[in-house]
Amino acid sequence: GENVEQHPSTLSVQEGDSAVIKCTYSDSASNYFPWYKQELGKGPQLIIDIRSNVGEKKDQRIAVTLNKTAKHFSLHITETQPEDSAVYFCAASPINNNDMRFGAGTRLTVKP
Amino acid sequence: GAVVSQHPSRVICKSGTSVKIECRSLDFQATTMFWYRQFPKQSLMLMATSNEGSKATYEQGVEKDKFLINHASLTLSTLTVTSAHPEDSSFYICSARSLSYEQYFGPGTRLTVT
């Protein structure tokens, strides 16, 4: 089955700086890679996703890159703000089955 | 955007009683819903996958007779924790998968068994 590793486990940045979170996956059949943001006491919120037919996707301050050859994908947050502070989870799965696996999470702290 | 609701958001029950948690996709149909359990500062642990109109598929180590899952319609799935014990106390989160494959999560239910 799929195994997803996520780094770093904690990340602290100054407001305005960029933050990068990286994930690797093991199953070459995986072709769907979502990212979730989870605030304390709440459910995860889908913030961006990428499918294997593209290498990069951007939505305002958030971007995701995918390297299928190396089996890794990354979340980039630019111009970070204190409200970006949360736990971020990456995930990977083949798009036609139910086996989505999550990374262990990254706790991002943005210092004002 | 796609919205998934969960009810209740918090529940406290006595040991030995049963608790039902509802998960609804409010603005889309979900043929597949998932139930997760999350311990403090940890990732999401998949408990089971439910497909509308069929029996749920449980992950290894999850007792199907203790965690009863029903997916009666394209917008509703329920999780019933039967004969709850303090070790069942946790944050339970459901998710629903849209037709375009995005998976949306509910806000979670904090269960405390006393």
Side-chain angles (χ1 to χ4, degrees):
Chain A
E2 177 62 273
N3 181 45
V4 178
E5 294 192 358
Q6 184 172 345
H7 299 279
S9 56
T10 60
L11 178 60
S12 182
V13 299
Q14 208 64 38
E15 183 178 0
D17 288 349
S18 295
V20 181
I21 302 170
K22 299 181 179 182
C23 288
T24 61
Y25 63 98
S26 61
D27 189 351
S28 57
S30 288
N31 52 12
Y32 177 63
F33 308 93
W35 285 88
Y36 292 89
K37 174 184 180 182
Q38 187 177 26
E39 297 176 344
L40 189 63
K42 298 182 179 179
Q45 176 192 4
L46 177 65
I47 56 172
I48 195 167
D49 59 11
I50 192 167
R51 298 170 196 243
S52 62
N53 56 343
V54 296
E56 183 174 358
K57 185 176 178 181
K58 191 173 182 181
D59 183 4
Q60 298 183 351
R61 296 186 297 110
I62 294 173
V64 58
T65 58
L66 170 65
N67 184 327
K68 284 216 73 177
T69 303
K71 294 196 185 71
H72 66 70
F73 56 113
S74 301
L75 177 71
H76 305 252
I77 306 174
T78 58
E79 301 172 33
T80 54
Q81 302 166 1
E83 49 266 39
D84 294 330
S85 297
V87 178
Y88 291 82
F89 292 99
C90 64
S93 78
I95 205 163
N96 289 325
N97 77 27
N98 296 326
D99 195 19
M100 182 176 287
R101 298 294 165 175
F102 289 83
T106 296
R107 183 172 298 279
L108 173 65
T109 302
V110 180
K111 298 177 181 178
Chain B
V3 179
V4 176
S5 70
Q6 246 180 278
H7 180 80
S9 58
R10 291 177 177 272
V11 58
I12 300 173
C13 70
K14 293 191 175 182
S15 188
T17 62
S18 295
V19 173
K20 180 185 282 188
I21 303 169
E22 289 189 352
C23 177
R24 294 181 185 272
S25 56
L26 297 184
D27 50 2
F28 66 100
Q29 293 184 331
T31 54
T32 305
M33 289 186 169
F34 306 86
W35 287 94
Y36 294 84
R37 185 171 178 177
Q38 188 175 38
F39 293 101
K41 298 186 178 181
Q42 292 192 22
S43 189
L44 303 155
M45 184 187 80
L46 180 65
M47 297 175 65
T49 301
S50 74
N51 292 294
E52 185 263 338
S54 62
K55 289 184 179 180
T57 302
Y58 290 81
E59 294 297 298
Q60 192 172 9
V62 178
E63 299 176 58
K64 61 180 180 180
D65 294 330
K66 181 168 187 62
F67 298 100
L68 301 179
I69 291 171
N70 183 274
H71 192 161
S73 75
L74 288 173
T75 59
L76 173 65
S77 177
T78 60
L79 167 68
T80 301
V81 183
T82 62
S83 187
H85 291 286
E87 57 264 31
D88 298 325
S89 298
S90 193
F91 192 52
Y92 292 88
I93 314 173
C94 72
S95 71
R97 192 170 72 188
S98 71
L99 292 178
S100 53
Y101 203 74
E102 293 92 0
Q103 197 168 317
Y104 298 95
F105 284 85
T109 296
R110 173 79 54 196
L111 170 64
T112 303
V113 185
T114 60

